[in-house]
């Protein structure tokens, strides 16, 4: 698992592997047409090979267009690219799982994806077009679908060759345990993708995942996009942290590069989102220096268990994952 100049591939429990650095593609705050195609093409040109997307982000057609264009012009082959997508909450009932994946493949115009995740353990009322189905009073309509049943169909999608690896996102350790204890479990989830950054370092969940050979993938590794529609302005801002800045000055790196390097030294996969060429390049320059054990410890010390992505509108859902400590 040595670092190359600008990447490291991490083995997954099913024999596949994942690049430790990927590019997030969620741009809900300002979805400008053509922006994702441009960013993903630029990402491939500067060496990104791993892209994190989802049906929910509404731009998989553009991600697919960019990947196909860069295959067509000879920059990459399909097997050089690692693409992750996610099954949305309205698709958790077993009858809809494969349909969800097929919608994604159709948007991408690709034959398979590399990794497919259950986006959240919570189900919503089945729907193929509305992301958050509501009743007349505006209340989000939930479903009590059992994610273990969802998982069994995810396994069959892997067997059918539509996806190479399967995993989950936003599961707490008890919910992971429920999957691992499934009597007819065929494949373990290869990863759990969760919010993780220096202010929410997830040390307990990381320990649990490592002991079960589950890779932790860190979303919002820079502290999220701080979309004013949901970001509480009283929240502390990760990249303004004095400790990260101080360590950055020592290594001639930015706070963002220190936050990312911190994760890859803990064997955590990071998927920072940037659609800005300069910042995309900056976020890749994390393989040419090393944090000392003291520096990692100092960053551990700034943890505040501060979660930015809370999905509070579903706090009363029976499978809401964030009531538990980890
Ligand atoms: P993030 O990657 O922590 O932060 C993105 C924000 O930081 C953007 O506003 C970006 O702006 C800015 N940025 C990027 N590089 C920077 C740098 N070097 N210095 C300063 N600012 C920088 O947050 P995120 O988008 O929430 O998370 C990343 C990805 O994780 C998403 O795109 C998505 O793929 C995934 N995700 C998954 C879930 C889930 O439920 N599984 C939830 C949230 C996110 P510019 O674009 O202008 O550079």
């Amino acid at each position: 698992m040595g670092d190359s100049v600008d990447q490291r591939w991490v083995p997954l429990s099913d024999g596949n592997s994942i690049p430790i650095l990927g590019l997030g593609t969620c741009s809900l705050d300002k979805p400008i047409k053509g922006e994702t195609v441009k960013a993903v093409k630029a990402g491939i040109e500067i060496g990104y090979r791993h892209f994190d997307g989802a049906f929910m982000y509404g731009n998989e057609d553009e991600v697919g267009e960019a990947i196909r264009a860069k295959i067509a012009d000879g920059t990459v082959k399909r097997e050089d690219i690692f693409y992750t997508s996610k099954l949305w909450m309205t698709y958790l009932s077993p009858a809809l799982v494969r349909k969800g994946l097929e919608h994604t493949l159709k948007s991408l115009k690709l034959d398979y994806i590399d990794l497919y995740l259950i986006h959240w353990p919570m189900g919503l009322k089945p729907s193929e077009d509305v992301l958050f189905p509501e009743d007349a009073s505006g209340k989000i309509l939930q479903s009590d679908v059992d994610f273990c049943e969802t998982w069994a169909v995810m396994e069959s999608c892997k067997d059918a060759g539509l996806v190479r690896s399967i995993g989950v996102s936003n599961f707490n350790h008890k919910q992971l345990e429920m999957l691992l204890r499934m009597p007819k479990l065929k494949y373990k989830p290869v990863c759990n993708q969760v919010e993780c950054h220096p202010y929410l370092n997830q040390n307990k969940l990381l320990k649990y995942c490592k002991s079960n050979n589950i890779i932790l993938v860190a979303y919002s590794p820079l502290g999220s996009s701080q979309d004013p529609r949901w970001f509480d302005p009283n929240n502390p801002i990760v990249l303004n942290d004095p400790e990260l800045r101080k360590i950055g000055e020592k290594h001639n790196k930015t706070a963002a590069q220190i936050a990312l390097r911190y994760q890859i030294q803990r064997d955590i996969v990071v998927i920072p989102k940037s659609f800005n060429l300069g910042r995309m390049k900056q976020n890749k320059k994390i393989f040419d220096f090393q944090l000392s054990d003291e520096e990692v410890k100092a960053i551990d010390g700034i943890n505040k268990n501060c979660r930015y992505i809370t999905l509070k509108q579903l706090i009363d859902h029976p499978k809401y994952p964030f009531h538990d400590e980890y």
Side-chain angles (χ1 to χ4, degrees), residues 217-320:
V217 178
Y219 75 66
S220 305
L222 304 174
S224 90
S225 60
Q226 297 164 34
D227 185 327
R229 287 172 303 174
W230 50 261
F231 190 83
D232 177 348
N234 299 313
N235 274 334
I237 293 178
V238 172
L239 298 185
N240 289 346
D241 187 87
E243 189 66 44
L244 293 179
R245 291 187 164 206
K246 190 178 90 191
I247 296 173
E249 273 166 28
K250 210 173 126 201
H251 291 277
N252 203 16
K253 295 284 177 184
T254 64
Q257 289 168 318
I258 300 300
L260 297 173
R261 179 75 207 179
Y262 167 66
Q263 302 290 26
I264 66 171
Q265 282 191 213
R266 304 158 77 214
D267 301 319
I268 291 179
V269 173
V270 282
I271 47 169
K273 178 264 166 184
S274 181
F275 282 3
N276 167 285
L277 188 59
R279 288 189 286 276
M280 280 160 72
K281 284 184 180 164
Q282 181 193 128
N283 296 344
K284 279 189 80 247
K285 292 201 181 110
I286 55 172
F287 295 94
D288 57 355
F289 74 108
Q290 186 136 16
L291 298 171
S292 66
D293 291 347
E294 290 71 33
E295 287 167 336
V296 170
K297 226 178 260 168
I299 302 172
D300 276 339
I302 64 174
N303 179 49
K304 300 179 195 297
N305 291 326
C306 174
R307 190 184 293 283
Y308 300 117
I309 313 283
T310 55
L311 222 66
K312 281 226 174 87
Q313 59 278 42
L314 291 174
I315 202 159
D316 63 341
H317 194 293
K319 299 202 174 67
Y320 185 76

